[in-house]
Amino acid sequence: MAVKGTCKAAACAREVIAKGYCRQHYRLWKAGEMPKARYKICTEEKCLKARFRGSLCETHYKAAHAKAAAAPAAGAAPAAPPAAVAPAGA
Ligand SMILES: [Zn+2]
Ligand SMILES: [Zn+2]
C-alpha cells in the first residue's frame, strides 16, 4: 500500500524518481517539455538547483555577477590588517 508515488503526468503510472515525475517524464520536464514546472530551477545546463534570482540558482547567479563585475583593479585592494577582528576569548 505504501507506494512511494506515481508520476503526476497525465495517464502515467510509472514510479516517481524525481520532482513527482517518472524517469521518462522527468527527462521531459528537465528539457522544459512539461507544462508548468512545479519547481523553478536554474536554467544553467545540468544545474537542478532552485532559482535564486531571475532564472539562475544562487551559485550561478553569483557567478554571473562575479563575471559581470570582473573588472578587478588588481593591486588596488587595500591590504588592511584585520585589526577590527578581536581575538576570541579574553
Ligand atoms: Zn510519467
Ligand atoms: Zn545553477
Side-chain angles (χ1 to χ4, degrees), residues 2 5 9 12 14 16 22-23 31 48 53 55 64 72-73:
C12 183
R14 292 190 186 87
V16 166
C22 66
R23 189 179 197 83
L48 297 177
R53 285 280 197 285
S55 60

Side-chain angles (χ1 to χ4, degrees), residues 2-18:
V3 181
K4 189 176 178 183
T6 52
C7 180
K8 66 184 178 184
C12 183
R14 292 190 186 87
E15 185 185 356
V16 166
I17 64 144

Side-chain angles (χ1 to χ4, degrees), residues 54-86:
S55 60
L56 297 174
C57 68
E58 187 168 2
T59 302
H60 285 119
Y61 175 78
K62 285 179 177 173
H65 274 241
K67 223 179 287 178
V85 180

